[in-house]
């Protein structure tokens, strides 16, 4: 273990130096997220993820955002444990009827100003589950949505790009 | 061969229960009556080697049929069969008294079909939370309900005694986790009882698949549980291909296994790190999650999707692996070998971490047997089953690998099973790449994709498949209608047989060890809730 730590100290972090925009746009995003989030929210944006019926594919990619390679927190974006600590509700899944009330309550518990991100195809339009007796459908049928991040599931880089446009969107709203 | 005689023993027994249904492949399905069903219950009671590996229903105008899938675990490979009980009066004798794994499966059958399991030891609703706007969605004629009023409260099991208190958790959990409700009853720090309530992510998957073309149904199955998308897609594809009697191109068989091992690798690497993180040892998560990321990126480069969703389809695979894929995967294997072993040494060398995982969350072998638990849950508790070996399917029958088994049944054992399986999967990926049949070329130089059109057979067919996901054995049963659409499909995720064991694992442990126990069992909410 000490070897690992020594190596990390001498070789530096594994976090990808934001790659050039031509590869996947992370570099460009890194700078823009930073600048806008600082202006809007003093460098930080707290996100509460709510699974409202996802297949857990979106969750896997949300987890990936936290790994040292994407290292979401360097942008001032972080996942928090309670909606009461959140600026953003990030909702996945086609909102099952069994989860609709829990989602509504999570939204009620989130202090204003707040934004809602519908993450993934299911959250946007129900995906392959649209029309099921057990699903309400898109997130916007339950709570107002500010941003949609498409993909099944969205890649981590796409998630990051989406969070940037949320910042721009919310800035434009006021 | 002894396998042959042993296998016949189960089949002989079932022959006495009733006639064999036509067009059910590859294992037999016998139709019995109430007397035969009760004989089966007696058999299950007397013979602990007879495992209940699935229990589901289907409905038509004639009424509801209940199907039980059984495996003789004392026999060799292939001793698998299905017993069917038609219930024209809407009732069937419950198996829950002899196999506790039947409890939740029968509660789900009651919710979805409106039939009654007589003598069910826990008759409370399970998937139906009273919010669907209808009851018995899979019955021939579902009945609408008025759900405008709040649903009745769900009665949790009583647990009384001096000094006991309850801790309700969920459905919305504190991390990036799927939703479910846990009700702890604790005495101080010690958990006296845990009761799970699931069904929050019930999406009506089985109803959505009904009447759909096979290709459309495959897209739904691929989203049953995102972490096992490849394994569920393989199970569905194999069941459909068995029903239609289709032999897919050999290259597709090998590519499926390649994807399945990449999926296993990614999930195990993620799990080991996450379990250590739940013991506040974030170091391992920080070092293992980049390995998981490396697998996801390689999958993306090879097949165009990080989770390889929709890459396995009935008839073969789509697309073929990228031209640079095999070389890239060999480099990935070499890289992971180099980086994984030192991290295992870190896990093994930290007494403070082992203090959290050793003797925590023990699942005893007898209980694991009664639930026919597979995957790392069963294998950490002394059960050696692996669908890749028994019943076994191509190409694993031609590959060399070991199924690790431990007997301690604690969190530590479940971590070590994952560690050993990572090593086995690395070896399997190498073997598959070295031995996979090459790209066939037609005389005109055109490369046909490893994918066949599904034949139209013009009659009703049934198929079944047992496929090993990273979590354990998936059972998928499908009935294809004469017009080629899916008449009924039931995917049984391994979580059905593993979730109940978590309730036993946590008993007598402290509340703070629940995340460890939960992550080490790692049931799928979505795969279970259907």
């Amino acid at each position: 273990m000490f070897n690992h730590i020594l190596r990390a100290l001498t070789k530096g972090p594994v976090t990808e130096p934001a790659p050039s925009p031509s590869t996947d746009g992370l570099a460009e995003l890194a700078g823009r997220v930073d600048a806008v989030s600082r202006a809007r929210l003093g460098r930080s944006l707290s996100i509460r993820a709510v699974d409202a019926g996802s297949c857990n594919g979106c969750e896997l990619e949300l987890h990936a955002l936290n790994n040292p390679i994407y290292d979401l927190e360097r942008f001032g974006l972080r996942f928090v444990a309670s909606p009461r600590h959140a600026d953003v509700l990030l909702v996945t899944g086609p909102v099952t009827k069994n989860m609709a009330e829990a989602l509504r309550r999570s939204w009620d518990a989130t202090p204003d100003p707040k934004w809602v991100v519908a993450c993934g195809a299911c959250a946007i339009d129900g995906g392959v589950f649209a029309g099921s007796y057990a699903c309400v459908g898109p997130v916007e049928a339950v709570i107002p949505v500010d941003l949609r991040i498409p993909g099944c599931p969205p890649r981590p880089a796409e998630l990051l790009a989406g969070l940037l446009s949320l910042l721009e969107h919310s800035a434009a709203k006021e | 061969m002894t396998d042959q005689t042993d296998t016949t023993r189960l089949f002989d027994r079932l022959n006495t229960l009733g006639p064999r249904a036509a067009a059910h492949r590859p294992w037999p399905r016998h139709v019995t009556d109430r007397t035969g069903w009760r004989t089966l219950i007696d058999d299950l009671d007397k013979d602990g080697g007879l495992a209940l590996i699935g229990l589901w229903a289907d409905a038509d105008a004639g009424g509801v049929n209940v199907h039980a899938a059984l495996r003789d675990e004392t026999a060799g490979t292939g001793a698998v069969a299905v017993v069917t009980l038609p219930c024209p009066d809407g009732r069937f004798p419950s198996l829950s008294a002899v196999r506790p794994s039947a409890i939740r499966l029968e509660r789900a059958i009651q919710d979805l079909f409106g039939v009654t399991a007589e003598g069910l030891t826990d008759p409370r609703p399970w998937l139906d939370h009273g919010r669907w706007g209808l009851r018995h969605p899979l019955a021939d004629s579902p009945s609408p309900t008025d759900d405008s009023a709040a649903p009745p409260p769900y009665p949790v099991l009583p647990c009384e005694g001096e000094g006991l208190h309850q801790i309700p958790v969920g459905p919305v959990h504190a991390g990036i986790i799927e939703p479910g409700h846990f009700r702890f009853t604790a005495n101080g720090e010690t958990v006296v009882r845990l009761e799970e309530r699931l069904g929050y992510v019930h999406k009506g998957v089985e109803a959505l698949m009904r009447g759909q073309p096979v290709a459309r149904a495959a897209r739904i199955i691929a989203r049953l549980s995102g972490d096992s998308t490849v394994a569920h897609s393989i199970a569905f594809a194999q069941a459909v291909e068995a029903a239609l009697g289709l032999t897919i191109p050999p290259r597709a068989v090998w590519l499926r296994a390649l994807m399945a091992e990449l999926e296993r690798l990614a999930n195990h690497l993620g799990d080991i790190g996450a379990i250590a993180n739940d013991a506040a040892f974030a170091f391992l998560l920080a070092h293992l999650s980049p390995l998981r990321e490396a697998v996801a990126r390689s999958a993306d480069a090879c097949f165009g999707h990080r989770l390889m969703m929709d890459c396995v389809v009935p008839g073969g695979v789509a697309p073929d692996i990228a031209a640079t894929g095999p070389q890239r995967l060999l480099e990935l294997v070499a890289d992971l070998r180099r980086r994984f072993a030192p991290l295992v040494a870190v896990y093994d060398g930290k007494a403070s971490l082992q203090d959290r995982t050793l003797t925590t969350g023990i699942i005893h072998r007898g209980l694991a047997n009664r639930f026919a638990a597979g995957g790392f849950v069963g294998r950490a508790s002394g059960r050696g089953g692996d669908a890749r070996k028994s019943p076994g399917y191509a190409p694993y029958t031609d590959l060399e690998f070991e199924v690790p088994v431990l007997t301690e049944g604690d969190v530590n054992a479940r971590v070590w099973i994952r560690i050993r399986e990572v090593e086995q999967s690395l070896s399997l990926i190498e073997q598959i790449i070295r031995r996979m049949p090459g790209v066939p070329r037609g005389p005109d130089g055109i490369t046909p994709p490893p994918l066949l059109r599904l034949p139209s057979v013009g009659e009703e067919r049934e198929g079944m498949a047992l496929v090993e996901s990273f979590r354990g054995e998936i059972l998928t049963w499908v009935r294809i209608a004469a017009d080629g659409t899916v008449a009924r499909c039931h995917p049984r995720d391994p979580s059905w047989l593993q979730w109940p064991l978590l309730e036993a694992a946590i008993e007598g442990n402290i509340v703070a060890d629940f995340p460890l126990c939960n992550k080490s069992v790692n049931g799928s909410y979505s795969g279970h809730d259907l």
Side-chain angles (χ1 to χ4, degrees):
Chain A
M1 183 170 170
F2 291 111
N3 287 339
H4 279 95
I5 294 171
L6 254 174
R7 212 174 305 135
L9 283 172
T10 52
K11 290 174 102 176
V14 295
T15 309
E16 290 189 339
S20 65
S22 55
T23 55
D24 61 0
L26 255 180
E28 194 185 18
L29 282 171
R32 287 162 69 198
V33 168
D34 194 44
V36 183
S37 68
R38 198 182 313 213
R40 283 289 302 145
L41 295 149
R43 254 199 94 78
S44 83
L45 188 58
S46 295
I47 306 164
R48 169 68 235 217
V50 178
D51 175 339
S54 143
C55 74
N56 77 36
C58 287
E59 278 62 35
L60 292 173
E61 298 300 48
L62 291 173
H63 274 293
L65 276 184
N66 274 332
N67 73 29
I69 297 195
Y70 294 104
D71 188 19
L72 185 69
E73 292 207 17
R74 70 182 142 147
F75 302 113
L77 300 165
R78 64 190 191 109
F79 288 102
V80 293
S82 167
R84 296 196 191 283
H85 304 158
D87 308 303
V88 176
L89 279 190
L90 190 148
V91 188
T92 60
V95 192
T96 62
K97 290 193 178 165
N98 290 350
M99 271 306 287
E101 186 188 336
L103 174 60
R104 217 173 285 120
R105 287 198 198 180
S106 300
W107 191 73
D108 287 342
T110 311
D112 282 319
K114 58 191 165 191
W115 294 273
V116 175
V117 178
C119 169
C122 295
I124 292 171
D125 61 8
V128 298
F129 305 106
S132 168
Y133 67 87
C135 297
V136 179
V139 172
E140 65 183 345
V142 182
I143 52 175
V145 169
D146 298 287
L147 173 78
R148 294 159 186 83
I149 304 179
C152 186
R155 291 156 200 264
E158 292 163 351
L159 288 167
L160 200 51
L163 293 171
L164 165 74
S165 50
L166 169 76
L167 289 163
E168 290 178 342
H169 172 92
S170 61
K173 205 159 71 168
E174 288 184 19
Chain B
M1 215 170 108
T2 51
D3 276 6
Q4 209 58 46
T5 27
D6 287 349
T7 308
T8 338
R9 196 169 66 103
L10 172 73
F11 294 157
D12 281 350
R13 179 159 25 174
L14 296 182
N15 273 325
T16 64
L17 293 182
R20 190 173 163 172
H24 187 277
R25 294 186 182 120
W27 300 290
R29 178 167 80 82
H30 293 266
V31 182
T32 188
D33 54 15
R34 286 181 70 93
T35 318
W37 191 261
R38 288 199 185 281
T39 313
L40 175 70
I41 293 176
D42 284 344
D43 278 357
L44 284 165
D45 193 21
K46 280 185 237 138
D47 184 353
L50 200 56
L52 179 72
I53 55 172
L55 187 61
W56 67 97
D58 76 281
D60 53 35
V64 173
N65 299 301
V66 176
H67 309 278
L70 306 163
R71 174 168 52 213
D72 187 348
E73 300 208 324
T74 60
T77 58
V80 175
V82 177
V83 180
T84 301
L85 175 68
C87 352
D89 56 349
R91 313 177 70 79
F92 68 99
S94 167
L95 303 180
S96 61
V98 291
R99 286 294 178 280
S101 52
I103 297 174
R104 290 178 180 178
L105 290 161
E106 288 179 356
R107 288 167 74 181
I109 291 174
Q110 293 195 149
D111 287 354
L112 298 173
F113 290 90
V115 290
T116 305
E118 298 165 339
L120 176 53
T121 50
D122 180 355
R124 292 174 298 166
W126 183 238
L127 300 178
D128 187 350
H129 292 195
R131 295 174 184 273
W132 295 337
L134 55 86
R135 299 193 71 197
H136 316 141
L138 292 179
D140 203 39
S141 49
S143 40
T145 54
D146 176 18
D147 287 339
S148 52
Y154 180 78
V156 293
L157 297 174
C159 195
E160 289 166 12
E162 204 177 335
L164 297 186
H165 62 283
Q166 288 197 341
I167 310 171
V169 179
V172 179
H173 294 163
I176 306 171
I177 326 174
E178 298 179 79
H181 182 79
F182 299 115
R183 185 69 61 98
F184 297 92
T185 305
N187 187 340
E189 272 296 293
T190 308
V191 178
V192 177
R193 166 179 272 167
L194 160 66
E195 187 181 346
E196 298 158 359
R197 189 188 185 197
L198 303 177
Y200 288 93
V201 286
H202 175 78
K203 294 182 271 290
V205 164
E206 292 169 296
L208 282 169
M209 293 175 77
R210 208 167 38 181
Q212 295 295 326
V214 167
R216 168 80 186 161
R219 285 183 61 81
I220 298 172
I221 275 285
R223 286 153 185 80
L224 181 65
S225 181
D227 51 16
S228 324
T229 175
V230 172
H232 270 292
S233 294
I234 294 177
F236 177 68
Q238 283 191 6
V240 169
E241 289 149 11
L244 301 179
L246 178 68
T247 307
I248 63 166
R251 188 171 165 81
V253 172
W254 288 74
L255 284 171
R256 284 180 181 181
L258 188 58
M259 291 185 220
E261 294 312 315
L262 285 170
E263 181 176 82
R264 196 180 325 275
L265 203 52
N267 283 307
H268 281 347
L269 290 170
D271 277 3
I272 298 166
I275 293 169
N277 192 53
D278 279 342
F281 195 70
F283 174 88
L284 275 180
L285 179 65
H287 281 268
L288 283 165
S289 54
L291 303 192
R292 184 188 206 289
E293 180 68 18
V295 178
R297 288 184 175 191
S298 297
D300 198 8
C302 291
F303 300 102
H305 193 287
R306 285 165 55 93
L307 307 178
M308 297 166 284
M309 212 170 244
D310 301 322
C311 292
V312 173
V313 290
V317 297
D320 203 324
I321 189 170
T324 54
Q327 187 53 38
R328 172 158 186 159
L329 290 181
L330 287 177
E331 285 162 15
L332 173 77
V333 168
D335 185 43
L336 290 180
R337 279 223 173 92
R338 189 174 52 78
R339 294 160 72 186
F340 185 61
L343 295 172
V344 174
V346 170
Y347 174 79
D348 203 22
K350 282 280 163 285
S352 57
L353 178 55
Q354 307 253 318
D355 183 49
R356 296 291 306 279
T357 59
L358 273 163
T359 71
T360 302
I362 293 178
I363 295 170
H364 295 288
R365 181 175 185 170
L367 201 57
N369 275 336
R370 300 243 299 155
F371 280 83
F376 37 75
V377 174
R379 292 199 268 279
S381 297
R383 286 174 54 81
D386 187 319
R388 293 172 295 174
K389 293 265 191 196
S390 172
Y393 49 92
Y396 292 104
T397 34
D398 291 332
L399 294 168
E400 280 179 34
F401 66 104
E402 283 168 19
V403 179
V405 181
L406 292 169
T407 51
E408 288 82 359
D410 56 3
V411 172
N412 181 56
R414 291 190 281 278
V415 170
W416 274 104
I417 295 289
R418 287 175 167 98
I419 291 172
R420 294 289 172 241
E421 290 190 9
V422 165
E423 295 161 1
Q424 295 298 317
S425 287
L426 289 173
S427 155
L428 280 169
I429 290 171
E430 273 182 339
Q431 293 180 51
I432 292 169
I433 289 174
R434 298 231 153 92
R435 297 177 51 192
M436 187 165 59
V439 185
R441 281 189 205 287
D444 48 359
I446 293 170
T447 314
L451 178 65
L452 296 180
R453 274 180 70 91
L454 298 181
S456 163
V457 291
E459 59 170 8
E460 194 173 88
R461 294 278 187 88
E462 294 166 352
M464 181 170 148
L466 293 168
V467 167
E468 192 73 12
S469 73
F470 84 100
R471 197 175 260 125
E473 182 183 71
I474 293 170
L475 182 156
T476 296
W477 186 84
V478 69
R479 175 182 290 144
I480 304 290
D483 63 359
T485 58
V486 175
R488 171 86 174 103
C489 175
H490 171 74
R492 199 271 295 134
D493 192 84
S495 306
W496 278 98
L497 310 178
Q498 296 168 352
W499 271 120
L501 295 174
L502 177 61
E503 292 185 350
I506 188 66
E507 205 180 304
N509 287 256
I510 58 171
V511 176
D513 278 343
F514 177 70
L516 275 170
C517 296
N518 188 21
K519 192 66 207 175
S520 72
V521 171
N522 191 15
S524 167
Y525 298 73
S526 184
H528 165 282
D529 289 354
L530 290 168

